[in-house]
């Protein structure tokens, strides 16, 4: 019994040390962010508000944006007129922690506070008619910027959620070296669209007119402008980007990408209780497990689960050579599960089931 007690004490000690180490890492990161912000302010960097595309129902809208300090020579356009950008430039801006942000939508005005990463992500209770609306955002010292907010009609019953990496673009994630290369070095115009996926998703939009499109990724908010230009240039439907932030939290060394996806799917289920989602992902990471878990919890909120199968070569590059072996993913009986290597094969299956 003494040995068991000793083992328990040792595990508790290890857990305590790990928790303290994570807290120290979190505090160090906070100090580093404050140092970067003070230095950026002292050298005259410019406050910039970046507004991201949002979505909403007739009773609320989700507003997304980020307050940053940018060097004058690196003010980056978020539209197709922007210059060819290498990934590392997206990470040179400094977030304005807890920035005060003004938001205007139609006749509504709100005064919000960003999080420690400068991100504004909030549901605002407003009543707006279905269709496109414009949100204007400004932080202290910045220009007023605008972004599209798509309001979904109450009678809409179908929506689309898509992963990004290895689903709409070939990135060879999660292998660390290639992930870093794609994020920090690769020229954005060299990123490769996944064959046939843009056409398939455009056909979905025409079949389900006015359906909301959401791109859910574990990528950092820093690359949002780059991703937006990529999606536009390759003719993907407009839609909100739901990204995350990197670095330690109060209880983890790194943010959990799977948790980010799970939380946003559950938020969509709450925001749109009558919408059934076509969930699109790939089998290179955890999308099959995440989507199957969601359909178990919210069976009435899923129209289909669509998984793009990586080729053997892509699977090796993604660091998961066993990806094409049979996966033990349980789903409720009657759930539509579709798999294919490209958009064309997926389109045929969606059409067979009346979704395209």
């Amino acid at each position: 019994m003494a040995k068991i007690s000793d083992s328990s004490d040792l595990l508790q000690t290890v857990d305590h040390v790990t928790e303290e180490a994570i807290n120290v890492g979190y505090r160090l990161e906070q100090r580093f962010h404050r140092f970067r912000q003070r230095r950026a302010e002292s050298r005259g960097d410019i406050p910039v508000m970046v507004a991201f595309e949002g979505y909403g129902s007739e009773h609320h809208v989700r507003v997304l944006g980020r307050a940053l300090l940018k060097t004058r020579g690196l003010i980056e356009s978020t539209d197709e007129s922007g210059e060819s950008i290498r990934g590392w430039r997206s990470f040179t801006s400094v977030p304005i922690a807890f920035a005060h942000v003004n938001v205007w939508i139609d006749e509504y005005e709100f005064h919000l506070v960003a999080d420690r990463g400068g991100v504004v992500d909030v549901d605002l209770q407003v009543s707006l008619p279905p269709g496109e609306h414009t949100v204007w955002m400004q932080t202290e010292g910045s220009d007023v910027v605008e972004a599209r907010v798509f309001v979904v009609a109450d009678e809409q019953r179908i929506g689309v959620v898509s992963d990004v990496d290895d689903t709409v673009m070939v990135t060879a994630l999660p292998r660390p070296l290639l992930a870093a290369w794609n994020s920090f070095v690769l020229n954005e115009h060299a990123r490769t669209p996944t064959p046939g996926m843009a056409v398939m998703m455009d056909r979905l939009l025409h079949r389900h007119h006015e359906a909301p499109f959401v791109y859910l990724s574990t990528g950092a908010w820093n690359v949002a402008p780059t991703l937006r230009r990529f999606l536009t240039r390759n003719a993907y439907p407009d839609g909100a980007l739901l990204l995350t932030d990197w670095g330690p939290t109060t209880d983890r060394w790194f943010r959990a990408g799977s948790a980010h996806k799970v939380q946003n799917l559950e938020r969509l289920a709450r925001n749109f209780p009558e919408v059934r989602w076509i969930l699109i992902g790939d089998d290179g990471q955890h999308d099959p497990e995440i989507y199957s878990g969601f359909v178990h919890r919210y069976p009435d909120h899923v129209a289909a689960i669509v998984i793009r199968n990586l080729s053997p070569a892509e699977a090796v590059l993604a660091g998961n050579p066993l990806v094409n072996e049979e996966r033990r993913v349980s789903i409720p009986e009657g759930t539509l599960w579709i798999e294919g290597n490209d958009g064309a094969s997926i389109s045929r299956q969606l059409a067979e089931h009346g979704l395209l």
Side-chain angles (χ1 to χ4, degrees):
M1 296 297 295
K3 289 184 178 179
I4 295 176
S5 177
D6 290 345
S7 298
S8 177
D9 290 343
L10 178 61
L11 288 175
Q12 290 179 2
T13 301
V14 170
D15 288 342
H16 178 72
V17 171
T18 301
E19 182 180 349
E20 284 299 310
I22 292 173
N23 286 332
V24 169
Y26 177 79
R27 291 194 295 269
L28 288 175
E29 190 211 25
Q30 293 291 87
R31 292 178 183 175
F32 178 65
H33 278 312
R34 289 194 292 269
F35 166 76
R36 288 188 69 205
Q37 185 170 334
R38 289 195 301 269
R39 184 173 180 181
E41 290 169 344
S42 66
R43 67 172 177 248
D45 283 10
I46 303 171
V48 173
M49 193 70 214
V50 181
F52 305 125
E53 184 167 338
Y55 65 79
S57 72
E58 296 183 42
H59 315 286
H60 84 280
V61 294
R62 185 175 180 179
V63 172
L64 298 155
R66 199 176 194 205
L68 300 168
L69 289 168
K70 291 194 174 187
T71 305
R72 291 179 183 272
L74 293 179
I75 300 298
E76 182 180 357
S77 172
T78 58
D79 58 31
E80 188 59 24
S81 64
E83 63 172 334
S84 178
I85 302 295
R86 289 194 181 273
W88 67 267
R89 290 178 179 267
S90 300
F91 290 82
T92 59
S93 302
V94 179
I96 305 175
F98 310 113
H100 290 263
V101 177
N102 298 321
V103 174
W104 299 271
I105 310 173
D106 289 2
E107 73 273 17
Y108 299 98
E109 180 175 347
F110 300 90
H111 304 283
L112 310 174
V113 178
D115 66 15
R116 68 184 186 88
V119 175
V120 171
D121 179 359
V122 63
D123 289 322
L124 301 176
Q125 303 306 307
V126 297
S127 297
L128 297 173
E132 290 191 13
H133 295 263
T134 301
V135 56
W136 287 272
M137 306 181 74
Q138 182 186 38
T139 191
E140 184 177 358
S142 78
D143 292 335
V144 177
V145 295
E146 64 181 65
R148 170 184 179 266
V149 173
F150 183 73
V151 174
V152 181
D154 284 345
E155 60 268 21
Q156 180 66 40
R157 293 296 178 265
I158 291 290
V160 178
V161 173
S162 177
D163 178 47
V164 174
D165 300 315
D166 288 321
T167 301
V168 303
M169 68 162 64
V170 179
T171 54
L173 293 173
R175 188 174 174 180
L177 179 60
L178 291 178
W181 179 267
N182 279 298
S183 295
F184 297 106
V185 180
L186 187 64
N187 184 292
E188 69 177 48
H189 291 275
R191 295 172 188 263
T192 305
T194 306
M197 294 298 285
V199 174
M200 182 271 288
M201 293 176 69
D202 186 62
R203 291 182 62 193
L204 275 176
L205 179 60
H206 281 81
R207 175 66 176 81
H208 304 282
H209 191 55
E210 304 300 330
F213 274 71
V214 176
Y215 297 94
L216 177 56
S217 171
T218 57
W221 278 111
N222 305 67
V223 300
T226 299
L227 289 180
R228 172 58 57 207
R229 285 192 296 268
F230 173 88
L231 294 170
T232 300
R233 187 167 54 251
N234 290 284
Y236 282 98
D238 290 336
L241 287 170
L242 301 182
L243 306 178
T244 186
D245 201 0
W246 291 356
T249 66
T250 54
D251 61 352
R252 298 177 64 93
W253 279 110
F254 298 99
R255 283 165 177 75
S258 295
H260 164 70
K261 288 190 172 183
V262 169
Q263 291 163 7
N264 274 280
L265 287 171
E266 293 181 343
R267 188 169 176 177
L268 287 169
R270 293 193 301 270
N271 287 342
F272 300 102
E274 303 300 325
V275 171
R276 297 169 66 234
W277 297 93
I278 299 172
L279 305 176
I280 305 173
D282 65 85
D283 61 3
Q285 297 181 330
H286 304 291
D287 291 339
E289 290 79 10
I290 292 170
Y291 290 166
S292 64
F294 180 75
V295 75
H296 274 288
R297 294 189 300 277
Y298 300 92
D300 296 332
H301 289 264
V302 177
I305 294 175
V306 176
I307 300 298
R308 182 200 168 232
N309 300 134
L310 273 63
S311 68
E314 289 173 323
V316 171
L317 287 174
N320 191 1
L322 303 179
V323 75
N324 291 308
E325 293 192 355
E326 183 178 353
R327 302 177 76 145
R328 294 178 175 85
V329 177
S330 66
I331 57 173
E333 185 177 354
T335 301
L336 179 57
W337 183 283
I338 291 173
E339 296 188 39
N341 180 251
D342 55 30
S345 61
I346 291 170
S347 293
R348 286 192 296 270
Q349 296 176 72
L350 287 169
E352 290 172 1
H353 290 89
L355 288 173
L356 196 61

